[in-house]
């Protein structure tokens, strides 16, 4: 099968929301009047972002999910995406599964594949998503203010738990491992919550490299500090993990990475509005800390005592 047959067979579908999709030199997008385009790219490299053992359908899901998560963090509504793919060869089993997982998530979010590039090479997947957001309404990292609450969506730490099981450093029951592994391989981008938080949240970021590191981006951009409740975050681990030390649980929840949840800030006066945004988007939201004027991040336990453990966020170059 040649390059163009492959594209037609697995990636070309009629464009319905965009004026022009796959097949020409450019795709054409038509954001609604008064909307700004929100654009983000994420690349997935085998061995670094996913294991070679992952089911192709789950990989297709994840490749788009991590990109939709960036749109969610900005409060943008998904419109379309492009797919740049390097493949070692034509593996129809892989292409069928990958495209099935990819399009299932794309359809669930009304996000259309409008173009891309396909080449031979070590397996590499790069997606660029395009979303729309009312002009001036995008959620940014820079809006947090002293005394704002810090909130997080969904669950934390499960992807890292699954990774540690794969690495052989911890053990989980078969059931707990399957649930953690599903969180690692098929994250749910919080797209509806992001849009529901427009006009309520003062800042937002999605958790890809770990809560502490990603919250750190908000603190730096907003020039503020924060106190974070470590026990409130470990309570958000979904998998049953009896017997694991507090230190391991804190590492997973606070600096695990691959969570694709939203961490965001909002004034205390907006607590009801945040809860309502969570209900409207059927997404759990939990308060885990508070923004402060003093720079730096202070991590405390439920009793308010400082947590001495060191945490690093995921960094590809250290
Ligand atoms: P060009 O040479 O003009 O860059 P290509 O020959 O690479 O175009 O691709 C042909 C068409 O197929 C283009 O519309 C391109 O956007 C689309 N395309 C290529 N690869 C993919 C892919 N993996 N997924 C979706 N569309 C793709
Ligand atoms: Mg090309």
């Amino acid at each position: 099968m040649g390059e163009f047959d492959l594209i037609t067979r697995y990636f070309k579908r009629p464009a319905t929301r965009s004026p022009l999709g796959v097949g020409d030199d450019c795709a054409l997008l038509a954001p609604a009047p008064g909307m700004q385009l929100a654009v983000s790219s994420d690349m997935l490299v085998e061995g670094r972002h996913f294991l070679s053992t992952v089911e192709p359908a789950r990989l297709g899901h994840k490749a788009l999910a991590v990109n939709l998560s960036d749109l969610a963090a900005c409060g943008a509504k998904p419109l379309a995406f492009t797919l740049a793919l390097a493949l070692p060869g034509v593996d129809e089993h892989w292409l069928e599964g990958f495209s099935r997982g990819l399009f299932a998530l794309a359809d669930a979010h009304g996000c259309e594949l409008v173009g891309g590039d396909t080449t031979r090479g070590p397996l590499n997947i790069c997606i660029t998503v395009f979303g729309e957001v009312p002009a001036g309404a995008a959620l940014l990292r820079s809006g947090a203010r002293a005394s704002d609450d810090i909130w997080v969506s969904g669950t934390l730490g499960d992807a890292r738990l699954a990774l540690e099981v794969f690495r052989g450093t911890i053990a989980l029951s078969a059931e707990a491992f399957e649930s953690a592994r599903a969180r690692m391989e098929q994250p749910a981008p919080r797209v509806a919550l992001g849009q529901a938080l427009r006009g309520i949240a003062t800042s937002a970021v999605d958790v890809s490299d770990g809560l502490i590191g990603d919250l750190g981006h908000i603190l730096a951009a907003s020039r503020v500090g924060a106190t974070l409740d470590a026990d409130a975050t470990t309570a958000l681990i979904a998998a049953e993990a009896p017997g694991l030390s507090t230190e391991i649980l804190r590492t997973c929840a606070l600096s695990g990475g691959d969570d694709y949840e939203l961490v965001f800030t909002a004034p205390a006066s907006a607590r009801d509005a945040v809860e309502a945004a969570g209900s409207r988007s059927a997404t759990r939201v939990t308060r885990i800390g508070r923004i402060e004027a003093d720079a730096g991040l202070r991590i405390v336990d439920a009793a308010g005592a400082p947590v001495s453990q060191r945490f690093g966020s995921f960094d590809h170059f250290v």
Side-chain angles (χ1 to χ4, degrees):
M1 190 186 315
E3 175 185 334
F4 299 108
D5 294 334
L6 183 160
I7 294 166
T8 304
R9 179 131 180 209
Y10 292 103
F11 299 113
K12 183 169 178 164
R13 304 197 311 180
T16 58
R17 302 184 59 211
S18 310
L20 185 62
V22 170
D24 217 303
D25 291 302
C26 289
L28 298 173
L29 302 183
M35 301 296 245
Q36 289 176 325
L37 263 189
V39 181
S40 179
S41 293
D42 259 307
M43 182 155 63
L44 273 76
V45 176
E46 183 169 355
R48 183 140 282 273
H49 301 96
F50 61 91
L51 305 169
S52 57
T53 50
V54 66
E55 246 178 68
R58 289 187 166 197
L59 185 59
H61 173 105
K62 183 163 180 175
L64 182 59
V66 303
N67 280 278
L68 291 176
S69 180
D70 286 316
L71 289 185
C74 288
K77 179 175 161 217
L79 283 179
F81 66 106
T82 60
L83 169 67
L85 206 52
L87 298 171
V90 178
D91 176 345
E92 294 213 51
H93 165 76
W94 188 92
L95 282 161
E96 185 280 319
F98 178 83
S99 57
R100 178 162 39 82
L102 180 83
F103 282 124
L105 186 67
D107 292 346
H109 289 279
C111 192
E112 195 159 65
L113 178 58
V114 293
D117 198 23
T118 306
T119 175
R120 191 184 286 272
L123 184 57
N124 189 314
I125 305 155
C126 183
I127 287 181
T128 298
V129 279
F130 302 86
E132 63 179 12
V133 61
L139 304 177
L140 306 178
R141 297 175 176 188
S142 51
R145 296 290 171 262
S147 85
D148 278 357
D149 293 321
I150 303 171
W151 297 78
V152 71
S153 66
T155 64
L156 284 175
D158 290 273
R160 180 63 178 269
L161 278 179
L163 181 64
E164 294 302 330
V165 173
F166 276 115
R167 286 175 169 166
T169 62
I170 61 168
L172 291 176
S173 70
E175 198 185 329
F177 173 59
E178 271 320 308
S179 109
R181 179 182 188 173
R183 293 286 298 127
M184 174 174 86
E185 294 180 345
Q186 293 188 292
R190 303 303 183 186
V191 172
L193 177 66
Q195 290 170 74
L197 287 172
R198 290 198 304 238
I200 298 171
T202 50
S203 71
V205 68
D206 70 317
V207 183
S208 51
D209 297 328
L211 176 65
I212 289 178
D214 290 314
L215 175 61
H217 296 314
I218 287 184
L219 302 186
S222 303
R223 300 165 182 274
V224 290
T227 293
L228 203 54
D229 177 347
D231 294 333
T233 67
T234 53
L236 295 176
I237 295 174
E240 292 292 330
L244 292 183
S245 69
T246 305
E247 188 165 356
I248 288 175
L249 295 177
R250 285 179 176 164
T251 296
C252 290
L254 287 165
S255 61
D258 251 8
D259 297 299
Y260 301 103
E261 296 294 352
L262 298 185
V263 55
F264 57 96
T265 58
S269 60
R271 282 180 190 171
D272 289 347
V274 171
E275 297 282 2
S279 306
R280 248 184 299 147
S281 54
T283 309
R284 173 180 180 183
V285 288
T286 309
R287 260 189 298 132
I288 54 169
R290 179 174 265 254
I291 297 291
E292 290 154 353
D294 282 351
L297 179 62
R298 292 156 288 280
I299 301 172
V300 299
D301 64 17
V307 166
S308 57
Q309 189 179 341
R310 294 199 138 277
F311 299 95
S313 77
F314 197 87
D315 184 318
H316 289 287
F317 294 100
V318 293

